[in-house]
Amino acid sequence: MHVGVLGAGIVGLATAWQLSQRGFEVSVIDRAAPGAGASGGNGAQLSYSYVQPLADPSIWKQLPKLLFSPTSPLKLRPQLDPLQWRWGLAFLAACNANTSRQTTARLLALAAESRGAFEAMLAELGPDCDFSATGKLVLYASGASLEGARRQLELQRAMGSQQRLLTPEECIAVEPALAAYRTQMAGAIHTPSECAADCLKLCVALESALRARGVRFLLDCEVQGFDRRGDRVAAVRTSAGDLEADAFVMALGTASHRLGRQLGAYLPVYPLKGYSITVEVDPSEAAAPRVSVTDSARKVVFARIGSRLRVAGMAELVGHDASIPATRIETLAAATRAVFPHAGRLDDLHPWTGMRPATPTGVPIIGRLDGAPANMLFNTGHGALGFTLAFGSAERVTRALAAVA
């Protein structure tokens, strides 16, 4: 069976990898280079055991700040966009304890599958992607936020996650580079099994390996529409001509909504804009972190990738705006100076922005959809967990195709 994979971000490439592993003939289409979209400068964390969804009851108290504060790490700016309003209302409806609990369970199950598939890929391919397995600390600034984290920890622990609550002193014992931040921490959640890697470098390695296996890549190639015949897609229409295949997988991130509508399917996927900087670290002992760190108050993550520190954060619902405001980059630089003042020089920041494809609940859309052609499967809507969940969702799509091949 020949499968056309639409999208060469980490989700599309993971899908192509899993399909290739099962013996499918694969073609990959993308309008840019592999990893050039939301995958390229992401937070670099592989968060398999700590998956707290953005749609959480705490959002209601934050709503005025989300709407009006210019400095909020989470930002919602209403626009004349029916999708934004429909998505936003569904998101607010998901901000309740029951939905958050159900989403956590679904994400943890998918993350566990993804860890297994990712580790199998690492063992076989051995990619140069600055992979590390040094664990993660999620920092909390107040006793109230730490108590909320404790409840999330107990929920995730009941679902199989191995985590523990740490005092500030214990945090510094795990990650000495946090010593200067001691007075700003009420405590943290420590997940020793979490990992990190450079997603862009992995995308490049996967492309090379897939080409060597005979996978065809059509890059700089825009998906423009579909040749639909009855209940099937016969071909994808692209700027380079038609691509015929037996089945297709749409892994086009935020573009999935628009193209899904052409096929008669509603995909509640909206861009969740984020930013990152990447700096060279000071090699001195305890200057820069080895353990991945998330500052929950600032909504900023720090991940060591080789000799660099990736600092990423913010979540903005502002539409498809690819601009990079200097204030947002300065916020990330300021967070780095505050949390890790000796990490390295901040004179070359490599600023980046990406549009994470998010669903209202945070659960990605995987497989077939009502109203869409039977041979079009979807793999999109992973939000901020795209890197973490990519290989698990790819495995699910591959199983679905293998069952009918």
Side-chain angles (χ1 to χ4, degrees):
M1 178 186 286
H2 179 201
V3 181
V5 176
L6 315 184
I10 188 58
V11 173
L13 291 170
T15 302
W17 173 266
Q18 296 297 97
L19 289 168
S20 177
Q21 289 287 91
R22 295 285 188 95
F24 287 88
E25 179 186 353
V26 182
S27 296
V28 178
I29 306 172
D30 201 289
R31 66 180 180 180
S39 302
N42 66 17
Q45 292 187 353
L46 291 160
S47 187
Y48 297 119
S49 298
Y50 199 90
V51 295
Q52 184 169 16
L54 183 63
D56 181 85
S58 65
I59 287 292
W60 290 102
K61 292 181 180 179
Q62 302 176 49
L63 201 53
K65 187 176 182 180
L66 299 184
L67 290 169
F68 303 114
S69 172
T71 60
S72 172
L74 303 178
K75 182 187 293 186
L76 172 60
R77 294 293 180 266
Q79 301 178 20
L80 295 175
D81 180 354
L83 174 61
Q84 188 197 51
W85 283 88
R86 184 174 180 179
W87 190 99
L89 291 172
F91 171 76
L92 291 175
C95 291
N96 62 80
N98 186 53
T99 300
S100 180
R101 184 165 50 249
Q102 292 177 6
T103 297
T104 296
R106 295 176 69 180
L107 292 178
L108 282 173
L110 181 56
E113 289 183 53
S114 198
R115 181 194 287 272
F118 185 90
E119 289 177 350
M121 178 277 300
L122 280 184
E124 179 170 342
L125 183 59
D128 174 16
C129 63
D130 297 318
F131 175 79
S132 64
T134 53
K136 181 168 79 170
L137 287 165
V138 181
L139 311 181
Y140 294 90
S142 68
S145 63
L146 191 62
E147 174 58 23
R150 184 189 61 77
R151 291 193 293 270
Q152 182 71 12
L153 177 149
E154 291 174 352
L155 172 64
Q156 294 182 155
R157 181 181 287 163
M159 298 175 183
S161 295
Q162 299 298 314
Q163 300 166 323
R164 63 191 183 106
L165 200 65
L166 300 187
T167 65
E169 289 74 19
E170 290 171 326
C171 291
I172 295 167
V174 170
E175 179 45 75
L178 283 168
Y181 202 56
R182 162 65 183 84
T183 60
Q184 305 301 310
M185 298 184 290
I189 302 296
H190 181 218
T191 311
S193 62
E194 302 290 55
C195 309
D198 186 325
C199 188
L200 180 57
K201 291 179 74 172
L202 178 58
C203 287
V204 171
L206 284 169
E207 179 197 4
S208 177
L210 288 167
R211 284 185 183 274
R213 291 184 171 195
V215 172
R216 179 187 179 197
F217 279 81
L218 292 83
L219 304 178
D220 299 315
C221 185
E222 186 90 27
V223 175
Q224 298 174 334
F226 307 94
D227 177 5
R228 181 170 181 172
R229 301 178 188 176
D231 194 34
R232 301 183 68 79
V233 172
V236 171
R237 301 198 186 283
T238 80
S239 55
D242 289 1
L243 173 72
E244 296 181 354
D246 301 303
F248 299 88
V249 179
M250 188 181 294
L252 285 168
T254 57
S256 300
H257 170 79
R258 174 178 55 84
L259 291 166
R261 288 186 65 182
Q262 294 187 29
L263 295 170
Y266 171 65
L267 280 77
V269 176
Y270 196 78
L272 195 63
K273 186 179 182 183
Y275 304 88
S276 77
I277 59 176
T278 308
V279 300
E280 291 292 325
V281 300
D282 186 321
S284 304
E285 188 71 23
R290 295 281 180 183
V291 173
S292 291
V293 173
T294 296
D295 187 324
S296 64
R298 289 184 168 87
K299 298 293 188 293
V300 172
V301 303
F302 303 85
R304 183 70 169 265
I305 43 177
S307 62
R308 298 160 296 144
L309 183 66
R310 173 68 48 79
V311 185
M314 271 75 86
E316 300 180 348
L317 278 84
V318 294
H320 289 83
D321 174 10
S323 65
I324 304 180
T327 54
R328 297 310 245 176
I329 298 306
E330 174 51 33
T331 296
L332 293 176
T336 308
R337 287 192 290 268
V339 183
F340 298 110
H342 309 298
R345 295 174 59 187
L346 299 179
D347 52 359
D348 190 7
L349 300 178
H350 301 282
W352 175 90
T353 189
M355 307 294 167
R356 314 176 189 105
T359 65
T361 62
V363 177
I365 300 164
I366 304 170
R368 294 177 174 83
L369 288 181
D370 291 341
N375 67 332
M376 174 64 75
L377 281 73
F378 298 87
N379 196 2
T380 188
H382 298 69
L385 291 171
F387 194 15
T388 296
L389 302 176
F391 281 82
S393 63
E395 176 60 21
R396 290 187 180 183
V397 166
T398 300
R399 286 201 303 266
L401 285 169
V404 297

